[in-house]
Amino acid sequence: MALYFRPGQEAYMKEMLQWERQIRRLYNEIGKAFRASRSPEPFISISINIMKHWGGFLQRLLADLTRCTIPGRQMNVWPRIVDHMIRENNYFIEVLEILQKMRC
């Protein structure tokens, strides 16, 4: 999604790329644990925390998109896409929280 930002919107692009790296790192760590037959349990609370912060970024991005407060006034992504990403993120958090409760 970082590619959809225009000149003047570099701060958004930079933050999006930082989120991409952080989430990819977590995904890779979980993949290694899975392939080594280790429990994913230690990653549940970490994942919830990261996904909640990611959701906060998406909420801020959606607000900036709908209020046209992003520098340059527009970007090449529709607010509905960001809204969809927020809903997917919320669903993922719910699943992780259920898993967390089952593990306790």
Side-chain angles (χ1 to χ4, degrees):
M1 191 155 96
L3 299 175
Y4 290 105
F5 291 101
R6 296 178 178 183
Q9 301 169 348
E10 288 85 4
Y12 289 92
M13 182 187 310
K14 184 178 177 181
E15 189 169 359
M16 180 68 70
L17 291 171
Q18 288 171 345
W19 278 112
E20 187 270 338
R21 284 189 297 273
Q22 185 175 4
I23 292 169
R24 183 177 305 279
R25 219 175 7 251
L26 176 63
Y27 177 81
N28 290 337
E29 287 178 39
I30 294 169
K32 286 178 192 174
F34 179 76
R35 286 186 294 282
S37 299
R38 293 192 330 253
S39 171
E41 187 172 358
F43 297 104
I44 294 173
S45 61
I46 295 167
S47 298
I48 290 170
N49 186 46
I50 288 173
M51 299 318 290
K52 284 184 177 181
H53 285 91
W54 164 243
F57 168 73
L58 291 174
Q59 290 285 352
R60 192 173 77 245
L61 178 59
L62 180 62
D64 290 350
L65 280 167
T66 56
R67 293 184 194 126
C68 294
T69 55
I70 289 181
R73 296 293 201 206
Q74 294 178 345
M75 60 180 278
N76 292 329
V77 66
W78 295 340
R80 301 233 355 134
I81 293 171
V82 178
D83 178 66
H84 172 75
M85 291 174 71
I86 290 168
R87 287 182 281 114
E88 289 290 333
N89 187 61
N90 291 340
Y91 171 76
F92 188 62
I93 290 170
E94 287 178 27
V95 169
L96 288 170
E97 288 174 340
I98 290 168
L99 286 173
Q100 190 174 45
K101 289 177 185 173
M102 291 174 60
R103 293 287 186 179
C104 295

